[in-house]
Amino acid sequence: MPLTGIEIFKLLPKTNCGECGVPTCLAFAMNLAAGKAALGACPYVSEEAKSKLAEAAAPPIIPVTIGVGDRALKVGGETVMFRHEKRFENPPGFAILISDAMAESEVDGRLERFSQLQYERVGLTLRPELVAVKDDSGDAKKFETLVNKVKQNSDCSIILMSSNPDNLAAGLKVCADRKPLIYAATKENLDGVADLAKEHSCPVAVRATDGLAELAELTTKLTEAGIKDIVLDSGSRTLRQVFEDQVIIRNTALVKKFRPLGFPTIVFPGEMTDDPMKEAVIAAAFVAKYGGIIVLSDFQGESLFPLLVARMNIYTDPQRPLATTEGIYEINNPDENSPVLVTSNFSLTYFIVSGEVETSKVPSWLLIKDTEGLSVMTSWAAGKFVADAIAPFVKKCGIVDKVKHHKLVIPGYIAAESGGLEEELPDWEIMVGPREGAHIPAYLKTWKP
Ligand code: SF4
């Protein structure tokens, strides 16, 4: 059982030095018990106390990493039921299903969609992370060949799906170095799958057939066998039951601090419906609550893109505005005579302005100034988007090397800065653009160098 705040307090130095970020050891102990602080924040905990506190300090939902390198996926590690309480930590991974019973052309098509369906948004690349390779044939050699093909064609993270430990071993023979997720240990094959997970140091998924109590029994056996990286499949395959399971698992792990269910989950929307659009809607429900890995029966742009955007939005820290990277953005292939516009790096501002410039079809340079993610008016009021801040950025960003003219269009909402900017940038003519993004296309069509 995890320690209470008072039990933790007894193990702390009780000097109230405040170096952990809160004023007293008691406050730190309470935060630790609630999973809102890390033990490492106190530099004065004794080694003996550290080992006793390790259980209390462990996150209530263990983070699990699947894969290696840049494409590795970390799931779990969540500390709250609701995003507004703090934030969600690790976005769920999307996996495409590939089976060794599929025709080669179908496999090739899915692998192609997996690598091609990726999107740039807010300076981020949105894309799926995993390929789930399923043993439907029962033939170890066939399974191994398909796993090898997936590995050779992509640097994705892999899920190996089979109920037969021998076939899983065949798959691991070719991709163990990618640290795939082994799916799944069940009550029938637990020992064999646990041996594989230990031998190859890979995370393992556990699937129950008879509810969450069985799931907890299976994870307890695995942790007793020394396996820490576990992913949960409740075994349910109806939307209602899987949804209920996700909420109960999250609640039991966070609120009741029940360790056997303190792991990320895996869900299969494709096994809950035959309708691809319904599958996408179900997947969206599990992006919000509380899928760790979401395996889709296939990827199509029209359903994957909204899911990627929903995931990005839900896993954005609500206390920190989404920001675009500072820099020069080229829209519609600008040249040395194209207009130069400047705006803030609040992502919504960037999207609206860049979208309107694109719609205008006028080749343009868009300067995005770092305003810590604040919108034009808010950053102006906070002194982050004023002449003193914009001018140094315009000088150092390199736009002078890209255009022959020296004309800078500023948002209409900061027209009051035009005088200050003319002083700070004496070589530039400051032009006041429209207040609203919708008026940008008409404005640009009349712009002259
Ligand atoms: Fe107490 Fe350690 Fe925090 Fe200092 S840093 S107040 S000793 S818990």
Side-chain angles (χ1 to χ4, degrees), residues 331 349-360 366 441:
I331 303 176
T349 302
Y350 166 76
F351 272 120
I352 290 171
V353 173
S354 61
E356 295 294 348
V357 174
E358 208 173 314
T359 307
S360 76
L366 180 59

Side-chain angles (χ1 to χ4, degrees), residues 261-298:
L261 292 183
F263 301 98
T265 62
I266 184 169
V267 293
F268 296 85
E271 294 184 24
M272 299 174 214
T273 177
D274 292 330
D275 178 340
M277 286 320 285
K278 266 194 197 158
E279 184 182 342
V281 173
I282 292 171
F286 293 121
V287 169
K289 286 183 185 299
Y290 293 112
I293 297 166
I294 299 171
V295 182
L296 296 165
S297 59
D298 198 356

Side-chain angles (χ1 to χ4, degrees), residues 12-13 15-20 22-25 28 41-44:
L12 293 176
T15 55
N16 299 332
C17 69
E19 285 185 42
C20 54
V22 289
T24 63
C25 294
F28 182 66
C42 172
Y44 305 112

Side-chain angles (χ1 to χ4, degrees), residues 66-67 71 73 93-100 102 106-116 127-135 143 146-161 175 178-183 266 268 293-299:
I66 298 151
R71 299 295 301 272
L73 173 74
F94 290 115
I96 188 169
L97 189 72
I98 289 179
S99 158
D100 64 0
M102 282 174 185
E106 181 63 27
V107 170
D108 292 343
R110 285 172 189 237
L111 286 175
E112 200 178 318
R113 287 194 285 285
F114 176 84
S115 34
Q116 285 187 351
R127 62 182 171 196
E129 295 77 15
L130 300 138
V131 175
V133 190
K134 191 173 182 195
D135 162 32
F143 184 58
L146 183 59
V147 173
N148 194 38
K149 179 170 187 165
V150 168
K151 185 184 171 189
Q152 299 309 327
N153 273 273
S154 167
D155 60 353
C156 62
S157 299
I158 298 172
I159 305 174
L160 293 179
M161 297 180 66
C175 77
R178 288 270 184 99
K179 298 291 169 215
L181 174 67
I182 303 172
Y183 178 97
I266 184 169
F268 296 85
I293 297 166
I294 299 171
V295 182
L296 296 165
S297 59
D298 198 356
F299 287 165

Side-chain angles (χ1 to χ4, degrees), residues 91-370:
F94 290 115
I96 188 169
L97 189 72
I98 289 179
S99 158
D100 64 0
M102 282 174 185
E104 195 149 344
S105 58
E106 181 63 27
V107 170
D108 292 343
R110 285 172 189 237
L111 286 175
E112 200 178 318
R113 287 194 285 285
F114 176 84
S115 34
Q116 285 187 351
L117 292 174
Q118 47 180 286
Y119 310 88
E120 293 295 326
R121 200 166 164 101
V122 214
L124 301 170
T125 304
L126 308 184
R127 62 182 171 196
E129 295 77 15
L130 300 138
V131 175
V133 190
K134 191 173 182 195
D135 162 32
D136 275 326
S137 68
D139 179 336
K141 193 70 209 157
K142 228 173 157 184
F143 184 58
E144 181 187 328
T145 305
L146 183 59
V147 173
N148 194 38
K149 179 170 187 165
V150 168
K151 185 184 171 189
Q152 299 309 327
N153 273 273
S154 167
D155 60 353
C156 62
S157 299
I158 298 172
I159 305 174
L160 293 179
M161 297 180 66
S162 176
S163 53
N164 183 340
D166 293 337
N167 293 6
L168 287 169
L172 283 164
K173 208 159 67 183
V174 288
C175 77
D177 57 335
R178 288 270 184 99
K179 298 291 169 215
L181 174 67
I182 303 172
Y183 178 97
T186 60
K187 65 180 177 197
E188 282 81 26
N189 67 11
L190 192 84
D191 292 339
V193 174
D195 287 346
L196 289 173
K198 276 199 287 186
E199 184 188 339
H200 298 285
S201 305
C202 289
V204 61
V206 185
R207 187 180 69 235
T209 47
D210 193 20
L212 299 182
E214 184 198 328
L215 195 62
E217 273 172 34
L218 294 175
T219 61
T220 303
K221 283 184 186 158
L222 284 177
T223 41
E224 283 170 359
I227 295 167
K228 292 191 172 57
D229 292 336
I230 298 171
V231 173
L232 307 176
D233 176 0
S234 68
S236 308
R237 289 297 184 268
T238 62
L239 171 59
R240 180 188 170 137
Q241 191 56 52
V242 178
F243 189 84
E244 212 173 290
D245 292 344
Q246 302 305 304
V247 175
I248 292 171
I249 288 171
R250 173 71 62 98
N251 186 278
T252 311
L254 293 190
V255 181
K256 310 253 188 295
K257 312 265 186 240
F258 185 61
R259 292 279 185 218
L261 292 183
F263 301 98
T265 62
I266 184 169
V267 293
F268 296 85
E271 294 184 24
M272 299 174 214
T273 177
D274 292 330
D275 178 340
M277 286 320 285
K278 266 194 197 158
E279 184 182 342
V281 173
I282 292 171
F286 293 121
V287 169
K289 286 183 185 299
Y290 293 112
I293 297 166
I294 299 171
V295 182
L296 296 165
S297 59
D298 198 356
F299 287 165
Q300 298 298 338
E302 65 271 23
S303 53
L304 184 65
F305 177 65
L307 286 171
L308 291 167
V309 173
R311 176 177 75 171
M312 180 184 71
N313 289 339
I314 289 170
Y315 280 78
T316 301
D317 186 345
Q319 293 163 39
R320 289 182 51 200
L322 203 53
T324 302
T325 310
E326 181 174 273
I328 304 172
Y329 289 74
E330 300 180 15
I331 303 176
N332 303 330
N333 299 317
D335 61 20
E336 57 194 15
N337 294 314
S338 301
V340 178
L341 301 93
V342 65
T343 192
S344 79
N345 79 331
F346 176 42
S347 65
L348 200 54
T349 302
Y350 166 76
F351 272 120
I352 290 171
V353 173
S354 61
E356 295 294 348
V357 174
E358 208 173 314
T359 307
S360 76
K361 302 205 181 332
V362 177
S364 305
W365 302 95
L366 180 59
L367 307 186
I368 295 296
K369 159 87 181 79
D370 181 3

